[in-house]
Structure formats: structure tokens, C-alpha cells
Amino acid sequence: MARLGMVIDTRRCVGCMDCVVACKTENDVPDGHCRDWISQRLEGTMPSLRLTITSERCNHCDVPPCVTCCPTGASHVHDYGKVVLVDHDKCIGCKACLASCPYGARFVHPDGYADKCTFCIHRVEKGEQPACVAVCPTHAMHFGDLDDPHSEVSRLIAARRHFVLKPDAGTRPRIFYLE
Amino acid sequence: MKAAGYSLAELKQKGLVKGPKPPLYFEDGITPEFATPSGKIEFYSTQLAEKGFDPVPHFVRPEPGPAGSFRLLYGRAPVHTFSRTQTNPVLRDAMAENEVWVNASVGARLGLASGNYVRLRNQDGVLSNRVKARVTEAIRPDCVYLVHGFGHTARGLRSAFGKGASDAQLITRYVTDPLMGGTATNVNFVTLEAEA
């Protein structure tokens, strides 16, 4: 397992929030917080409009500022798939990572530690898909190894026009949105 | 039942009778036939003309509403189902209330911004619950839009009570298609009243 990432097809996403509900249920996300969310971007003026819907979460960046700024090393890059995770026991809840993340992906869990999307690593290590990817009713979401040129995610990125969120932030995010 | 070739006795004895499944498509080479006097698809219908209807459909412009009012449109959000999921805690977290979509230029003219609360009053004087405005380009200037299912009035539904406005409450008029009887409910017009 080299580098795990996601490809999300914005043409198929209808903003149903099944991914949000699935994540909440799978990961016991506390009330009032979310590990993933739906964003909508409307461009143009009536009647020439363009709506882009994106399902967003931690981008498990290649250059993660949340890891660099963590004083205890709680925020770290996991060996398996190079997923960015938080060690709950080491986290002191200082919120430096919340401030450093350009995507607003993190929140403080009521139990005191910084929390965010884990790419459902507990499922992935068992050969399953992340919960959000598994439930998407329009099959808009894809997950896999970005370092494998033959993986579905690699092939989609090679074949279709795509964008990442905040490319100027220098984070090299690992979630690619298909146009 | 007689027309379909069944009898009550047969139905009572069998319990469930399934008719033959008609083919979905006509096979190649078979000349299709339709249940019209000519046996063909008719763009000009003599049957309709005989009954006093337009033999060829003509567009009839819908009646506009009173000046200064907006046609009330309603629709669905994928998060909620009808008016029965508004108390679901997880879904409420995703969408706790509906919003009235108002065109951006209309909002500018009325001094309305997204997040401001308003009430909707329809042509028959029915006043809605307070509802948040969403000022957006995504709705026509002569219409407003609500997601269906909100504005619950049952106090027992504590977490949904008073959240958003009910489109159903404002639909006091409907029109019926003279040909096939279908009802249309997008014929109600509302004005917006600022809420303190």
C-alpha cells in the first residue's frame, strides 16, 4: 500500500449527504461535528448557471501542515497508505492543527483530542472501502492507491479533467475532483 | 374483472392472479398498432376534437400572480423524506430547516440578505412561519422556492416544531388539467414580509 487517495466525480454527486450520514454512523462522529461535508459552488447569473457540488473531508495531504505543526507528534503519517492520523493519547488538544489546516477538516472531539476523517483506515486495512465511498448512491466516489498507475483512481486522474481544493496552499492534497 | 377475463370466484379460489406481461418493445418487422381510431400515433387527435378539446396541444400561458408577488415553487432535498424525517437527529444535523430561495436582484431590491428571516403570505392571506431567506441566482426573479416538509406545527415534534416554513400550508389553490384530471399546485403566489 503506497499512497491512498480519493477521486470524486462532481458530475455524479447530487449532494444527497449519504456520505455524511454514513461517516457519522460508522465513526460515531459527535453531534454538531462532521468529518465530511457537502459544499456547493454556484457560478453565473440566472439563467446561465453552473453548480458544482463537492463532498469534502481531510485531504490526507502529501505535505500535511497539521503534522508539521503538532507539538507532540500525535498528528502523524501512518505507514499503511500514508494516511494522516491522530494518536488520541498523545494529542493535548492545543488546536494548532485546526489552525494550520487550510480545509477546515479538523475539529476537537468532546473527549479532548483533534479529530478528522481517517479514510476509514479501520475498514481499509480489512480490505473494505471507506464508509462514504461504499454508500454513495451515484457511484461518484473512488478510493485507492495513487502510486499504482493501474488503480482506478490513477486511471481516472489520467483520463479526466480534475481539480484539487486550494492548490496554492502547497499541501498537495490527495483528493481529486473530476470536472 | 370480466373485461380482463377473470371472475370473482376464480380470484377467491386462487388468491392471486397475475396477468400476462405485455412485451416492452415491438419486435423487428412487426407493424405496431396503437389504441387510436387510426391505429397510429396521432399528432392531431380526432377523438379530442370530437369532445371539444384542442386536437393539437397549444401552449396556454399560465396566469400571472398579483403584482409584487412571487409564484411559490416547492421541491425536495435529498437529505429529508417528505415531512417525516425532520426530527431525525442525524438528518437534522445535515439540514435543520428549509430556506426560501429569493432571486439575488429581488433580494437587493427588497433589502433582503441570506440569513434574514421572513414570512410568506399567500394570495388568500395565509401567513407562514418564519423562514430563513437564501438570496441566490439559482431562482427566477418571479418565483420563490421552498423545500417541502418543514414548518411543523405539532408541538410534540419538539426538534422540528417551528423550524422553517410549510409549502403545503401556503398551497390553498390548485388547478386541474381538463383533459386528464391531473392537479397542479404551483399556482399560489406569495409576498415576503420581513420578520423582526
Side-chain angles (χ1 to χ4, degrees), chain B residues 10 16 23 26 29 36 51 58 67 74 82 110 148 153 163 170-171 173 181-182 188 190:
Chain B
E10 183 186 351
L16 171 70
F26 289 108
T36 57
K51 294 243 170 16
H58 286 106
Y74 66 93
F82 307 128
L110 298 177
H148 175 77
T153 55
K163 298 260 164 57
L170 296 165
I171 296 171
R173 295 195 191 182
N188 291 272
V190 296

Side-chain angles (χ1 to χ4, degrees), chain A residues 14-18 20-21 24-25 30-34 40 42 44-46 49 51, chain B residues 77-80 88-95 101 103 134 136-141:
Chain A
V14 295
C16 72
M17 299 211 204
D18 272 17
V20 178
V21 175
K24 249 190 165 11
T25 318
D31 267 344
H33 297 289
C34 57
Q40 292 191 18
L42 185 70
T45 54
M46 173 59 75
L49 298 167
L51 178 68
Chain B
V79 177
H80 284 286
N88 180 301
V90 178
L91 299 181
R92 240 188 328 115
D93 215 36
M95 182 179 181
W101 295 23
N103 177 270
R134 179 187 170 189
T136 172
E137 286 289 344
I139 185 74
R140 290 164 56 120

Side-chain angles (χ1 to χ4, degrees), chain A residues 101-176:
Chain A
C101 175
Y103 306 106
R106 289 176 175 238
F107 61 93
V108 181
H109 192 280
D111 291 349
Y113 53 83
D115 204 9
K116 65 179 192 65
C117 161
T118 58
F119 268 175
C120 278
I121 196 70
H122 61 286
R123 288 172 58 103
V124 173
E125 279 174 347
K126 286 191 289 180
E128 293 167 358
Q129 300 262 285
C132 55
V133 175
V135 300
C136 178
T138 59
H139 306 292
M141 302 186 58
H142 309 270
F143 180 80
D145 183 3
L146 295 171
D147 280 350
D148 174 2
H150 302 295
S151 70
E152 190 188 28
V153 286
S154 295
R155 285 196 270 165
L156 282 167
I157 292 168
R160 289 191 43 190
R161 274 210 293 262
H162 54 271
F163 62 91
V164 297
L165 298 177
K166 305 212 178 167
D168 299 339
T171 51
R172 303 236 307 273
R174 269 191 250 144
I175 298 185
F176 298 84

Side-chain angles (χ1 to χ4, degrees), chain B residues 14 34 42 56 97 100 103 119 127 161 171 181 183 195:
Chain B
K14 290 190 175 163
F34 302 92
E42 294 182 351
V56 176
E97 55 186 311
V100 57
N103 177 270
R119 286 183 193 257
L127 186 65
F161 175 76
I171 296 171
T183 50
E195 178 81 350

